[in-house]
Amino acid sequence: MTANSIRERSIYRVLPFALAALLLPAALLAQSSQIKGEVQNSEGEVVANATLTVLDAEGNVLTQETANRRGKFTIKLDDTTAGQYFIRLEADGYAPTEHGFELEPGAALEATLAILTPQQMAGNTYNQGYEALQAGNDELALELFERASLLDPSLAQAPMAIAVLLHSQKDFEAAAVAIDRVAEIGDPVVQVPPLTVYETGLRLGRDDLREEAVERLAGTDAARDAAVLAYNTGVQAVKDGDVEAAEQWFLEAGEIAPTMHQPYQSLAALQFNEQKYEAALPWLEDLLERKPDSHEGLRMLFFSQASLGNEADAAQVLDRWLEASPEASNELLQQAEAMFENDELDRAQQLVAPLLAAQPANAPAHLMMARIHASSGRIDAAKE
């Protein structure tokens, strides 16, 4: 900053300053300084009868003057020392606006000073908050956003920014207040990002927020992140033993991100694990439509078809499973072994038979089948 220049302080930068500085000999002005000029609004129109208060760097009031009806003013300062000073402008219909300047003793300054409306001041304060946010100063950013909201309650960008910032800090209660404020303002152009709204609603049990966000999430980059939140909530519900709630969360995850396969795998597993194989089939179809080589999907589908006695369908699925997953045959034999040990020989045979049809040279499968035949009293078949 150069000496004898006047600059803005926390104002909306729309009006360039007309500056002229004249340093007079100290012998003539001693320690006195003078500032002359005009007060204008952001459109360059004269503002009559504005009050001008001069403060030092510590905020002490040095003097106060009033501009005339043409906006002109003259301020005389006695016994000034070199340093930073401020002029605060106040007028009806405008926000208090400060301008900072560096002053040398004996200086004579001329300046055109801008005074701002509350809306302009709010806009500038919001911009400063954004700059602070970009610089990583969240605390200052939040303070400036809140100040902007107070200056202009209709400025939807301010509570929107507050909501995003508080959401990032996991302060969901306060974020919800800001989200509601944006909704009250009703600016059709300004909306809180749907992921912010969705997670806030999820964490607080605010179905209204969550449901509104789901509608806006479709097709956005944030859709998968929101779907993961819903999916993980469903997983926790399973751990808590609330299967019905888990199902609803998995369905919501699938609605938010239709190409995501995990919700359908979990929906199928809820039915499969309860041996509700028929009910699992539609979810398995949805899963394999999204991930055709899913090991878990093909495994559950094979066992479901085999358990339902659909031998031809099971054989087709097994071919796909073996092609997609090299460990499929070992897993199938392990399952058959478990059934064999539980004396469920028919079920074990239902698993091994299609494996042998698909892999005639599979020695462990032949051995398993021989054991099943032997235990069933079919000695001749066991010898084969």
Side-chain angles (χ1 to χ4, degrees):
M1 185 179 301
T2 59
N4 305 317
S5 65
I6 293 182
R7 63 176 176 80
E8 299 168 285
R9 181 191 187 197
S10 301
I11 68 167
Y12 185 66
R13 294 175 173 82
V14 293
L15 183 67
F17 299 123
L19 296 176
L22 176 64
L23 286 177
L24 300 180
L28 295 178
L29 285 180
Q31 298 297 310
S32 297
S33 302
Q34 179 175 279
I35 306 170
K36 296 176 64 176
E38 183 176 276
V39 179
Q40 298 179 359
N41 62 21
S42 62
E43 304 299 323
E45 300 169 339
V46 168
V47 176
N49 305 319
T51 300
L52 300 92
T53 304
V54 181
L55 306 98
D56 62 18
E58 287 72 39
N60 300 309
V61 175
L62 301 182
T63 188
Q64 190 174 78
E65 299 290 344
T66 301
N68 64 24
R69 58 187 178 85
R70 296 187 301 276
K72 302 293 185 181
F73 66 86
T74 300
I75 300 173
K76 294 182 180 180
L77 297 172
D78 297 326
D79 300 324
T80 55
T81 59
Q84 188 178 47
Y85 296 83
F86 298 95
I87 298 178
R88 179 189 299 137
L89 305 179
E90 296 173 277
D92 291 341
Y94 294 89
T97 307
E98 285 190 359
H99 296 270
F101 60 98
E102 298 289 337
L103 184 66
E104 294 288 343
L109 304 180
E110 290 188 6
T112 300
L113 301 179
I115 188 168
L116 306 177
T117 65
Q119 291 76 18
Q120 291 168 335
M121 184 69 81
N124 185 59
T125 304
Y126 170 82
N127 290 338
Q128 290 179 332
Y130 182 78
E131 292 172 2
L133 190 64
Q134 293 295 98
N137 193 339
D138 290 359
E139 183 177 354
L140 177 59
L142 183 60
E143 177 184 336
L144 290 167
F145 291 146
E146 290 174 341
R147 188 185 305 168
S149 188
L150 290 172
L151 284 165
D152 182 5
S154 69
L155 182 68
Q157 288 90 339
M160 182 271 290
I162 291 170
V164 172
L165 181 53
L166 292 173
H167 166 259
S168 72
Q169 297 173 350
K170 305 301 181 185
D171 188 349
F172 299 111
E173 290 281 358
V177 173
I179 292 169
D180 290 339
R181 177 60 189 146
V182 174
E184 289 172 8
I185 294 171
D187 188 329
V189 178
V190 180
Q191 292 183 308
V192 180
L195 180 60
T196 296
V197 178
Y198 183 81
E199 184 175 12
T200 300
L202 186 154
R203 302 301 183 194
L204 299 179
R206 287 276 304 271
D207 292 346
D208 59 322
L209 295 182
R210 207 181 77 250
E211 291 167 4
E212 180 266 327
V214 168
E215 296 179 3
R216 293 198 288 124
L217 279 164
T220 67
D221 293 339
R224 184 174 179 83
D225 290 337
V228 168
L229 287 170
Y231 178 79
N232 289 341
T233 305
V235 171
Q236 186 59 51
V238 172
K239 293 178 180 178
D240 294 339
D242 192 344
V243 174
E244 183 177 349
E247 185 176 69
Q248 293 304 311
W249 285 114
F250 294 147
L251 286 169
E252 184 159 296
E255 178 186 355
I256 296 170
T259 61
M260 186 174 169
H261 73 275
Q262 289 90 341
Y264 300 97
Q265 178 175 311
S266 294
L267 285 164
L270 288 177
Q271 303 300 326
F272 181 84
N273 292 338
E274 294 295 321
Q275 298 184 6
K276 298 177 181 179
Y277 302 117
E278 195 74 48
L281 293 179
W283 298 123
L284 289 168
E285 182 179 340
D286 288 335
L287 165 60
L288 293 169
E289 180 182 336
R290 289 159 177 79
K291 190 177 182 183
D293 62 348
S294 168
H295 171 80
E296 276 300 302
L298 292 169
R299 181 187 72 83
M300 287 190 286
L301 183 57
F302 169 75
F303 283 115
S304 293
Q305 297 288 19
S307 299
L308 292 169
N310 301 330
E311 295 181 3
D313 291 335
Q316 291 180 355
V317 175
L318 181 59
D319 288 338
R320 291 172 59 191
W321 188 22
L322 291 169
E323 182 180 354
S325 182
E327 65 270 22
S329 62
N330 289 335
E331 186 167 342
L332 193 151
L333 286 173
Q334 289 173 3
Q335 187 68 28
E337 178 73 30
M339 292 177 176
F340 179 84
E341 293 297 331
N342 288 332
D343 216 20
E344 300 177 76
L345 302 181
D346 289 341
R347 291 187 64 196
Q349 184 173 343
Q350 286 177 342
L351 299 183
V352 178
L355 178 59
L356 283 172
Q359 296 181 339
N362 190 320
H366 279 288
L367 178 59
M368 186 75 249
M369 184 61 82
R371 292 171 62 198
I372 292 171
H373 287 320
S375 296
S376 303
R378 299 187 294 269
I379 303 301
D380 291 341
K383 290 180 179 179
E384 295 178 2

